Amino acid sequence: MKKLLLIVGVSILTLSACSEDSNQNKQELKEKQSSSHETTKQKKQSPQSKQIHEVKKKNGITYIDGHVFVNKKVDLPSDYAPGENRIARNHLNKLIEDARKENLDLVFRSGYRSYSDQEQLYKDYVARDGEAAANQYSAKPGQSEHQTGLTFDVGSDSATDDFRTSFGKTDEGKWIKAHAHEYGFIVRYPEGKEKITGYQYEPWHLRYVGKDLANKIYKENTTLEEYFDYGK
Ligand SMILES: [Zn+2]
């Protein structure tokens, strides 16, 4: 499949001088229209969805169809600090509330992490397990989805399977797999897609993409990398 059908604009990747956004809760999934920055736009067609996707870079952040994209090949800048996305968190709260109504023991475990939080975490993991092992389960600073404010880890009060692949086999893990998309979330690192996402199966790690995209990703049993045909 041919890529890069159209390139519009000029690529300028800079570490912007923008400081931390104090208005973090007002962050929208789609970036704001007003722009004094030069951007890169590419239109490309993904083989799975047979749709044209717009890749846009702004202030060092990659957006595809308006969704912030980050993985081990596509970094976020160190000064990108949007804070927790309120819309995403509200949907997570509703998801947890509904799961608990069904007597499931589902709890929030972690959410937004700044670049420097991730830097410290990664250093600790490398010190504990070595770099190769740490890279299997931890993102390097600038490569964590938690930096987007759109990503949450869930677990259980019992915590026996928290942050383990076995969480996927618990009632809570199964419920997440079946219902997360109804709240606009995807299991970002699914089982069997390790080579594509670069991460082990993480049944607890949820990325908010909105109901539209979450439904498509769920139905196609795919990943952001495959759906957008980007960053594989
Ligand atoms: Zn996570």
Side-chain angles (χ1 to χ4, degrees), residues 113 146 151 153 202 204-205:
R113 285 202 290 271
H146 288 275
T151 293
D153 297 323
E202 293 196 359
W204 62 86
H205 177 107

Side-chain angles (χ1 to χ4, degrees), residues 83-102:
E84 180 179 85
N85 183 287
R86 193 175 58 186
I87 295 166
R89 183 57 192 265
N90 286 343
H91 281 86
L92 183 83
N93 291 346
K94 177 80 175 116
L95 176 153
I96 290 174
E97 199 183 305
D98 288 353
R100 296 189 75 88
K101 275 183 202 159
E102 296 187 27

Side-chain angles (χ1 to χ4, degrees), residues 11-31:
S11 171
I12 294 191
L13 290 169
T14 63
L15 287 176
S16 84
C18 300
S19 58
E20 184 170 342
D21 183 7
S22 59
N23 210 10
Q24 52 190 230
N25 284 334
K26 297 239 171 102
Q27 182 199 359
E28 299 291 339
L29 271 181
K30 303 224 168 185
E31 62 182 305

